Amino acid sequence: MATVRLAPVLRPSIGGSKQVNAQGSNLSEVLSDLYSRYPALKEQIQPEESLSRFINVYVNDQDVRFLQGLETQVGPNDTVILLPAMAGGR
Amino acid sequence: MGEASREIMRQARRQVPEWTTPKVNEALAKQHEAGREKQEIVLVDVREKHEWNEGHIPGALHVPRGYLELQVEEAVPDKEKTVVLYCAGGVRSLMAGTTLQQMGYKNVISMTGGFGAWKGNGFPFVQPRTMSEAQAKRYSRHLLVPEVGEAGQFKLLDSRVLLIGAGGLGSPAGYYLAAAGVGTIGIIDADVVDESNLQRQILHNTKRIGQYKAESARETIEALNPDVKVITYIERLDETNVAHIIADYDVIVDGTDNFPTRYLLNDAALKANKPVVHGSVFRFEGQLTVFKPYEGPCYRCLYPEPPPMALAPSCAEAGVLGVLPGIIGLLQATETIKLLLGIGDPLVGRLMTYDALVGEFNELRLFRDPNCAACGENAHLENLPTYADVCAL
């Protein structure tokens, strides 16, 4: 199972943990598995068909926008990172 | 001059050929035309440091006569080269010439009349920039680092850095950049110091509550380092002032607290071709990267759109561990110094994330988006959307 790590703002929707495991051989399947268990997460990052433009998804350290997007292959030892923009500086 | 010293001079003159200043000037000019590969003549100034500091011939090496035997082989390793020595009047260089001959240098020349005659003939000279004694002491630990050194320290002193915000990130970044001797620091911040800032915004203090942050920051920085000129802008960065303000700076340290300003700054920095050292913090986590226009991705490549309010953890209520902006702000200062000095590998195209609770740094690779609305192939910087401040403080 792939590991999914979430940025702090997204953690409340999966019950507060920093990372979870998810099933799937590509990104779309991995995310679907997560959404089935945590519907609130879908609302936050993928309310429509495609991924929201304010959220960056990395497989290992690579941005999936420059791989195959939702079709990007995800192996059992891969780490998916969900990272929305942060602005705090004060 | 006594008889013995006159005799030494006579001996030296028989041994060491002399060139007049016009002849040296001509030889150097020819060599300059021939280009770098044909550097057959090495010019060595054998005067004392204080004489050198008052002016010397461009391109000369400085090996004071007192250190000649110890240093010249390092300065001029090739003993076949033509070594032209000069001093102030042509006497010390003649005697230095005999020493070089003893050391095995084959073609040693002494310049008659020395630097005095050179200057008198109206030939070019340069006056090296010298550090005051106080500066040499203050920056001594930088001077010891070969990658910084005296030349690097002068670069820092000549540099201009703009801090967007004198808050959590701007405080540590600005404080250390001032300590490092960055000569001009601009600070734009329209807010006043609030008690709740003091848990992390170390440029301010309890007595300054209610004062403009930019002014408070100036007081702290000027007390730390009188070399630093602080320019304050007590206003918010917006479409009307951004281009004008950033135009004067070499590097911009982005420590803002909201998305609209970050997009505004990104677009203006692209237009003005200024690197932005980007940092942001939230609770226990921080992010850091360097946006170098057209060399790496820009902020819109990374985040084409700002998140909706619910996902925008930029408001004061989100909270942050007080030390966290200290870490990220100092990493921003470090990246800034690297950019100013042109050393190391700046964090261009790499997003560094820090998780304080786990105690872990991670790095994500960022790419320039060829379809980026701001820096992509068909970008129009004029037509980019701006955003309302969803959580203005």
Side-chain angles (χ1 to χ4, degrees):
Chain A
M1 282 215 284
T3 305
V4 182
R5 296 170 68 157
L6 290 87
V9 269
L10 300 174
R11 289 178 201 164
S13 39
I14 62 156
S17 35
K18 183 185 162 73
Q19 63 181 52
V20 285
N21 293 328
Q23 296 273 18
S25 61
N26 66 23
L27 181 60
S28 185
E29 291 173 19
V30 167
L31 291 176
S32 296
D33 178 36
L34 279 184
Y35 299 155
S36 67
R37 285 181 284 153
Y38 311 107
L41 188 65
K42 182 165 170 57
E43 283 306 301
Q44 276 193 296
I45 66 173
Q46 200 180 349
E48 287 152 31
E49 201 171 310
S50 56
L51 279 169
S52 293
R53 279 160 69 79
F54 52 80
I55 182 124
N56 284 351
V57 181
Y58 300 84
V59 172
N60 300 324
D61 69 343
Q62 297 264 19
D63 191 330
V64 298
R65 283 187 293 158
F66 302 99
L67 297 172
Q68 284 80 47
L70 286 167
E71 306 303 311
T72 304
Q73 297 294 305
V74 179
N77 298 319
D78 287 341
T79 301
V80 176
I81 296 173
L82 304 179
L83 191 75
M86 280 198 328
R90 294 292 161 106
Chain B
M1 213 186 269
E3 184 49 40
S5 97
R6 263 195 288 274
E7 180 51 32
I8 289 175
M9 281 295 298
R10 273 194 291 274
Q11 278 279 358
R13 225 168 228 133
R14 278 197 289 272
Q15 248 176 276
V16 179
E18 292 177 290
W19 285 2
T20 61
T21 52
K23 186 167 176 184
V24 173
N25 186 46
E26 198 188 328
L28 291 175
K30 262 192 200 149
Q31 166 154 290
H32 187 71
E33 271 171 39
R36 279 193 164 270
E37 295 78 42
K38 293 189 174 172
Q39 299 283 300
E40 285 309 311
I41 302 172
V42 184
L43 193 59
V44 178
D45 187 323
V46 298
R47 297 173 303 160
E48 301 301 312
K49 174 117 175 109
H50 66 93
E51 298 175 280
W52 164 269
N53 285 346
E54 282 166 19
H56 60 81
I57 300 175
L61 302 174
H62 182 220
V63 185
R65 200 179 148 221
Y67 291 95
L68 195 62
E69 295 87 338
L70 299 174
Q71 294 178 354
V72 74
E73 285 174 297
E74 205 174 317
V76 189
D78 184 353
K79 292 185 175 165
E80 304 294 324
K81 292 222 160 153
T82 302
V83 183
V84 178
L85 302 168
Y86 74 90
C87 58
V91 174
R92 283 174 290 169
S93 58
L94 205 51
M95 296 196 276
T98 61
T99 307
L100 288 204
Q101 286 177 337
Q102 274 177 25
M103 292 177 75
Y105 285 86
K106 300 282 184 331
N107 303 299
V108 184
I109 313 284
S110 170
M111 188 173 84
T112 47
F115 186 65
W118 179 271
K119 238 171 119 174
N121 274 323
F123 296 137
F125 66 96
V126 287
Q127 202 161 359
R129 193 170 166 189
T130 53
M131 220 166 252
S132 70
E133 214 170 299
Q135 285 177 325
K137 270 195 189 146
R138 177 180 289 266
Y139 306 118
S140 64
R141 296 305 188 274
H142 269 172
L143 304 183
L144 291 167
V145 179
E147 287 80 357
V148 184
E150 200 175 65
Q153 190 61 54
F154 280 130
K155 253 192 211 170
L156 292 179
L157 286 164
D158 291 340
S159 295
R160 304 171 63 93
V161 172
L162 178 66
L163 303 177
I164 312 287
L169 295 170
S171 279
Y175 214 171
Y176 265 93
L177 289 173
V182 169
T184 304
I185 296 181
I187 301 174
I188 173 160
D189 201 313
D191 290 342
V192 294
V193 178
D194 182 85
E195 232 173 328
S196 68
N197 300 149
L198 301 176
Q199 159 253 27
R200 64 200 178 284
Q201 301 184 12
I202 57 166
L203 281 175
H204 317 301
N205 63 46
T206 313
K207 279 190 198 141
R208 311 232 183 98
I209 291 170
Q211 259 189 48
Y212 281 114
K213 284 187 184 175
E215 291 300 338
S216 166
R218 182 224 295 276
E219 273 182 54
T220 306
I221 286 173
E222 285 179 351
L224 172 66
N225 189 349
D227 284 344
V228 182
K229 186 179 161 203
V230 179
I231 299 171
T232 57
Y233 306 88
I234 301 176
E235 52 197 302
R236 287 186 80 93
L237 204 66
D238 60 31
E239 286 95 341
T240 64
N241 61 16
V242 63
H244 171 72
I245 291 176
I246 69 171
D248 290 337
Y249 295 91
D250 303 312
V251 177
I252 301 158
V253 177
D254 181 4
T256 41
D257 55 356
N258 64 83
F259 286 104
T261 310
R262 289 190 190 264
Y263 283 99
L264 176 80
L265 177 65
N266 178 69
D267 303 344
L270 279 170
K271 219 178 280 183
N273 200 12
K274 307 274 182 186
V276 174
V277 182
H278 170 97
S280 66
V281 291
F282 176 73
R283 296 194 177 160
F284 294 100
E285 294 193 44
Q287 294 184 3
L288 176 82
T289 188
V290 173
F291 294 119
K292 204 166 182 204
Y294 307 106
E295 283 183 33
C298 77
Y299 190 59
R300 285 188 196 265
C301 294
L302 178 57
Y303 302 117
E305 280 172 23
M309 261 179 92
L311 266 184
S314 56
C315 310
E317 301 79 54
V320 64
L321 190 72
V323 292
L324 187 77
I327 291 164
I328 302 300
L330 275 193
L331 287 171
Q332 286 181 287
T334 310
E335 290 303 313
T336 302
I337 286 177
K338 281 161 63 184
L339 289 172
L340 294 173
L341 295 179
I343 57 172
D345 300 316
L347 270 177
V348 176
R350 295 184 288 151
L351 181 76
M352 185 182 270
T353 62
Y354 174 62
D355 181 334
L357 278 184
V358 182
E360 184 178 77
F361 283 97
N362 265 301
E363 200 177 292
L364 297 168
R365 292 175 58 192
L366 309 178
F367 293 92
R368 265 189 83 182
D369 183 351
N371 300 315
C372 174
C375 77
E377 283 155 23
N378 302 308
H380 293 283
L381 279 168
E382 281 70 29
N383 306 333
L384 294 169
T386 55
Y387 305 100
D389 201 342
V390 289
C391 63
L393 293 180

